[in-house]
Amino acid sequence: MAALLTVAGLLLPDAASAQQADGERLFRQRCGTCHAMEAGQNRAGPHLSGIIGRTAGSVEGARYSAAMRESGVVWDRQALDTFLTSPRQMVRGTTMTVSIPNAEQRAAIITYLEGVGAQ
Ligand code: HEC
């Protein structure tokens, strides 16, 4: 019964918001030390407000590697997924070395970033 309820839960339309809640928790644990979601608040890494559609290395006042500034990447879901899988493989010379090997966790984090950016 519990398993059935779990499956039903995944099929409900609000599954995306559940994933976003999960993404928020993961973001706080894995990204929040270095990244804020508020525009203008740069930590070790740039703020990630409005990251979807943003050109890589473009936040004023953030500390970027030359590799990131010159990457020519525009962040969308696919680019973020590739980056978070293995940052240094996608942007050779980046100073961000944190990766998220788990595809579901990556998807949850990206959904969270997307949701916050759209608010
Ligand atoms: C230890 C600190 C640290 C952690 C933890 C971290 N990052 Fe970063 N991140 C950075 C730094 C530093 C940069 C700038 C890299 C560069 O310029 O090469 C960066 C850059 C980025 C960028 C590119 C931003 C832009 O403006 O182009 C994205 C997207 C990003 N991080 C997402 C994440 C996500 C999502 C997480 C959590 C899964 C995360 N980061 C965890 C330090 C961190």
Side-chain angles (χ1 to χ4, degrees), residues 65-118:
S65 62
M68 185 61 78
R69 269 190 266 107
E70 291 159 14
S71 67
V73 169
V74 176
W75 297 114
D76 59 13
R77 280 197 78 100
Q78 184 56 57
L80 285 168
D81 192 64
T82 306
F83 184 62
L84 294 178
T85 304
S86 180
R88 277 175 294 186
Q89 208 167 314
M90 178 175 172
V91 182
R92 211 171 277 268
T94 181
T95 46
M96 175 164 142
T97 54
V98 179
S99 67
I100 305 290
N102 182 300
E104 277 176 36
Q105 293 187 350
R106 280 198 308 276
I109 290 170
I110 293 167
T111 298
Y112 167 69
L113 292 175
E114 219 172 29
V116 173

Side-chain angles (χ1 to χ4, degrees), residues 9-59:
L10 288 173
L11 296 174
L12 287 174
D14 65 355
S17 58
Q19 196 188 44
Q20 200 179 330
D22 212 28
E24 179 170 13
R25 181 178 52 80
L26 286 165
F27 179 85
R28 261 195 254 115
Q29 289 169 352
R30 312 291 289 274
C31 324
T33 316
C34 300
H35 294 287
M37 286 310 294
E38 295 82 27
Q41 283 197 26
N42 300 315
R43 298 182 180 160
H47 76 80
L48 296 182
S49 162
I51 186 68
I52 303 281
R54 199 165 92 187
T55 301
S58 66
V59 169

